[in-house]
Amino acid sequence: MDLTKRKITKIAREVSKFTVRTLREDGIGTSEFDVLHVIRKNPGITQAEVSKRLGLDKGAVARQTANLEAKGYLQRSENPADGRSRLLYATSKADALKKSKAHVETNFYEWLMEGLAEPDRRTFAALLDTLYQRCKAESKADFPEMTRRMEEGTAHEEA
């Protein structure tokens, strides 16, 4: 039983809606944000690797990277290891966009936390960090526990 009732996801979805609306003037969609994020975190990544990491169709990633390049958010360079592929790098314009997105999200979360008393804010932030660290470790390990649980087809309840 999910005690959270997926509220973390629901909050993130609402923040995302507001962020997308706020940044729409930059001409970037949510999928393009995701692609740019992967490229910023992995300079010199190929389109194929972006596709794999995001679980997106190669054609969709090709269209998105072409759009992002045309808008000035990324640049390509030759891949010395493979003449057929290009290495992708975020531009300073993409870095500025990331800062803008982070700024919007930060303001939203600060507003949201204003509804809590200071001790509750600190406790919530500490608990959230614990969950984030666990999530990040699972992700970096390529999701072995979650993959196992999904293959078993059962929900695990911790006592």
Side-chain angles (χ1 to χ4, degrees):
M1 180 167 131
D2 177 16
L3 295 175
T4 71
K5 297 182 180 175
R6 299 180 44 251
K7 288 182 182 169
I8 294 170
T9 300
K10 292 173 183 179
I11 291 169
R13 187 178 304 130
E14 297 305 322
V15 172
S16 179
K17 279 197 270 185
F18 178 73
T19 302
V20 167
R21 181 188 328 168
T22 303
L23 297 178
R24 190 171 287 146
E25 65 196 41
D26 291 314
I28 303 295
T30 53
S31 292
E32 289 174 323
F33 275 132
D34 293 342
V35 169
L36 269 178
H37 179 74
V38 169
I39 295 168
R40 287 186 76 254
K41 293 292 184 183
N42 304 279
I45 193 170
T46 64
Q47 281 183 187
E49 187 61 28
V50 170
S51 175
K52 181 180 173 187
R53 288 186 187 212
L54 291 176
L56 296 175
D57 176 78
K58 288 181 182 181
V61 171
R63 287 187 299 279
Q64 290 169 349
T65 55
N67 288 340
L68 290 167
E69 185 177 23
K71 295 173 187 176
Y73 291 107
L74 69 83
Q75 61 187 26
R76 301 169 194 263
S77 68
E78 298 217 6
N79 185 349
D82 178 2
R84 296 172 295 150
S85 67
R86 300 284 180 258
L87 304 178
L88 305 172
Y89 297 91
T91 64
S92 58
K93 186 175 179 180
D95 290 337
L97 178 66
K98 164 63 170 109
K99 290 173 186 158
S100 297
K101 184 175 186 271
H103 178 73
V104 172
E105 291 170 343
T106 296
N107 279 317
F108 195 105
Y109 286 122
E110 285 175 354
W111 168 81
L112 195 59
M113 296 286 282
E114 286 174 6
L116 300 176
E118 187 59 29
D120 292 339
R121 283 187 205 190
R122 298 219 176 271
T123 299
F124 176 74
L127 291 170
L128 191 59
D129 187 60
T130 299
L131 295 175
Y132 173 74
Q133 295 303 326
R134 183 173 181 177
C135 178
K136 201 64 180 166
E138 178 73 1
S139 174
K140 284 186 177 189
D142 200 26
F143 303 101
E145 179 62 20
M146 291 311 307
T147 300
R148 184 184 66 73
R149 288 180 182 216
M150 295 304 294
E151 287 171 354
E152 289 176 358
T154 59
H156 289 261
E157 293 184 37
E158 295 187 21

